[in-house]
Amino acid sequence: GHITEAIECYETATRLAPRFAAAHSNLGLVLKERGDVAGAVARYRRAIEIEPTFPDPYSNLGNALKDAGRLDEAIECYAAAIKLR
């Protein structure tokens, strides 16, 4: 439904609170939903950079990398997410 609106909201959130890792991770989810895998990967990596102990962006990054056929990297992300939970 409202992917464009969601992207705009999360982009606003990341501008207002650039260190809010969950907003970056969630923006990655909607970018991936729209088909922008590269944009999603960049947002997940930014979320991890901001908050390295937050497991969600590792799982999300793993899913994006899996979908891109980058299985070895995806497995590393899943392992990191599991370790943090």
Side-chain angles (χ1 to χ4, degrees), residues 3-18 23-24 26-28 30-31 34 36 43:
I3 292 175
T4 300
E5 186 178 33
I7 290 170
E8 291 171 3
C9 289
Y10 284 124
E11 285 177 341
T12 299
T14 61
R15 267 195 311 278
L16 294 174
H24 287 278
N26 290 337
L27 176 54
V30 292
L31 290 172
R34 188 178 70 184
D36 181 3
R43 290 302 180 153

Side-chain angles (χ1 to χ4, degrees), residues 36-85:
D36 181 3
V37 176
V41 166
R43 290 302 180 153
Y44 300 143
R45 292 192 190 283
R46 179 68 182 127
I48 291 166
E49 178 183 313
I50 292 166
E51 194 174 335
T53 60
F54 180 37
D56 292 2
Y58 290 95
S59 297
N60 296 336
L61 179 57
N63 290 335
L65 293 170
K66 176 184 63 73
D67 292 349
R70 296 163 60 181
L71 300 181
D72 289 342
E73 292 172 88
I75 290 168
E76 289 177 18
C77 291
Y78 294 138
I82 290 167
K83 184 177 178 182
L84 291 169
R85 293 211 188 265

